[in-house]
Amino acid sequence: MSKDPVIEAKSLSVNYPLGKGLFGPRAYLSAVDNISLNIEKGSFFGLVGESGSGKTTLGRALLKAAPISEGEVFYRDEDVSHDLRTIKGLELKDYRKRAQLIFQDPYAALSPRMTVRDIIAEPLEVMGLTKTRAETDARVREIAAKCRLNLEHLRRFPHAFSGGQRQRISIARALVSGPKFIVADESVAALDVSIQADVLNLLKTIQRDMGISFLFISHDLSVVAHTCDHVAVMYLGNLVETAPTRSLFTRPRHPYTSALLSAIPSLDPDDTREAEKLTGEIPSPANPPKGCKFHTRCRFARDACKAERPQLREMAPGHMVACHFAEEFDFSENGALQSA
């Protein structure tokens, strides 16, 4: 895995207007708020957090599928570099070949009126990547084989397939243009556990064989732990912690990360640990709390947390935490975050 980033985001924000008040300024919903991160070439980068934390919006912004309100996002691959804030025209068309999305729902993502062959071939035809039908068919068969789809599958319609098979069709469609960066948005969430393992193994094989960088968005921490090289934790539009996977799961430094990890079910029948309970609901991104956005649910919150927003800072090599008092916390043996 290269240390050079294929995606580099600096102070990225995505804001949506909510309408103008009668006597006040226009209000905005901040879905992604001042996020900086690097996704290294050839990596499997995990993004986790509660529903509504902004994970999908961040993934779409990195694909230039959501508006970038502030900050910068750069895509770099070999001698190609794109500034996603200003990209348009032929440069945007080129980026569409290099960056693709795997959707969450394999049942809704495929047109019921198209055969599998036509579904996989559509990006080639729309982007003009092949000149003849024979060339298109050859590329479709090549990618279908990588996704364990045979010639008979290519003649059928999506309704004839199971969820796992449909997701492999979606993966093949994403791969056919030869991308270097793929956002997998909850791509195994709708599948049975046994099928999840099959699809995850397929994605890892593709990553290794084709050198593709993945942003893997998920709410299943056990899947992330066994799949990703690096993990970022998102809360209410902000990154609260980012670290190599082993470092994050063995020694989290943020109270929110600890609470998420404590909710992972244990296979040990003698394990009596209880999940940490976060009181209250996640605040509205249209009206976030001042200071640290997590302070309204954090049992360690102090006056400084309510007044000043913490910035990501390095606590260990590659381990960044946004908490004023991260030095005072340690991950105890019983799985609860306690004062050191």
Side-chain angles (χ1 to χ4, degrees):
M1 183 177 67
S2 172
K3 294 295 183 182
D4 297 326
V6 65
I7 293 290
E8 182 180 5
K10 300 178 180 179
S11 304
L12 169 64
S13 294
V14 177
N15 303 320
Y16 294 103
L18 296 177
K20 189 174 181 180
L22 184 60
F23 300 106
R26 179 184 294 272
Y28 288 88
L29 185 150
S30 182
V32 174
D33 186 10
N34 194 34
I35 281 183
S36 298
L37 61 80
N38 291 340
I39 300 176
E40 296 176 359
K41 293 179 181 178
S43 68
F44 217 99
F45 192 102
L47 183 63
V48 301
E50 291 174 287
S51 297
S53 60
K55 305 187 298 299
T56 293
T57 303
L58 174 58
R60 291 178 179 271
L62 299 183
L63 292 173
K64 189 58 178 178
I68 299 174
S69 304
E70 299 176 13
E72 300 175 317
V73 183
F74 296 96
Y75 167 87
R76 296 187 177 95
D77 175 43
E78 299 172 351
D79 58 343
V80 176
S81 179
H82 291 308
D83 181 350
L84 301 191
R85 182 76 186 271
T86 59
I87 193 172
K88 58 183 179 180
L90 293 178
E91 286 189 341
L92 180 58
K93 185 177 180 180
D94 178 71
Y95 183 61
R96 291 282 181 251
K97 304 173 187 176
R98 300 172 181 272
Q100 288 288 319
L101 172 67
I102 300 173
F103 294 92
Q104 174 180 351
D105 187 353
Y107 292 90
L110 306 177
S111 171
R113 292 185 172 87
M114 298 173 69
T115 64
V116 172
R117 181 267 175 202
D118 292 340
I119 289 172
I120 299 176
E122 187 176 26
L124 297 176
E125 297 166 346
V126 170
M127 298 177 185
L129 299 179
T130 53
K131 297 179 180 179
T132 65
R133 183 178 178 87
E135 187 179 351
T136 299
D137 287 341
R139 178 61 176 168
V140 168
R141 288 194 294 268
E142 176 190 354
I143 293 301
K146 289 182 180 293
C147 297
R148 299 197 289 275
L149 298 167
N150 59 41
L151 292 178
E152 180 60 29
H153 290 151
L154 298 179
R155 302 186 185 100
R156 300 177 185 175
F157 290 86
H159 71 266
F161 296 92
S162 66
Q165 290 173 318
R166 293 190 191 197
Q167 196 61 293
R168 291 207 299 271
I169 296 169
S170 295
I171 293 170
R173 179 177 57 186
L175 292 176
V176 76
S177 64
K180 295 298 183 181
F181 174 57
I182 289 180
V183 174
D185 187 4
E186 300 278 12
S187 55
V188 297
L191 306 178
D192 293 338
V193 174
S194 60
I195 305 302
Q196 285 185 9
D198 180 65
V199 173
L200 289 171
N201 289 336
L202 174 62
L203 293 179
K204 291 295 288 183
T205 300
I206 289 169
Q207 177 211 13
R208 181 182 65 248
D209 295 346
M210 302 180 67
I212 297 175
S213 307
F214 279 86
L215 174 62
F216 186 76
I217 301 172
S218 179
H219 65 270
D220 191 333
L221 294 171
S222 59
V223 168
V224 170
H226 290 90
T227 307
C228 298
D229 311 311
H230 201 97
V231 183
V233 182
M234 200 167 178
Y235 181 80
L236 205 61
N238 290 134
L239 290 185
V240 298
E241 189 164 6
T242 176
T245 303
R246 181 178 294 274
S247 177
L248 185 91
F249 278 81
T250 57
R251 194 180 183 188
R253 301 296 191 105
H254 196 282
Y256 179 63
T257 307
S258 175
L260 290 181
L261 296 182
S262 72
I264 300 177
S266 174
L267 298 178
D268 183 359
D270 298 323
D271 190 349
T272 59
R273 289 181 300 175
E274 294 185 0
E276 295 179 40
K277 295 181 180 179
L278 296 177
T279 59
E281 297 291 332
I282 185 171
S284 169
N287 185 28
K290 296 181 179 179
C292 175
K293 292 184 178 180
F294 185 62
H295 85 260
T296 59
R297 305 172 72 192
C298 180
R299 58 195 175 103
F300 301 104
R302 306 176 192 176
D303 290 341
C305 304
K306 302 175 184 178
E308 183 180 355
R309 179 181 298 185
Q311 303 298 316
L312 279 173
R313 51 200 175 94
E314 192 169 46
M315 302 294 298
H319 197 142
M320 309 288 289
V321 185
C323 178
H324 291 303
F325 306 103
E327 293 88 352
E328 300 181 21
F329 302 134
D330 197 2
F331 196 61
S332 68
E333 292 183 358
N334 67 358
L337 194 64
Q338 298 179 343
S339 297

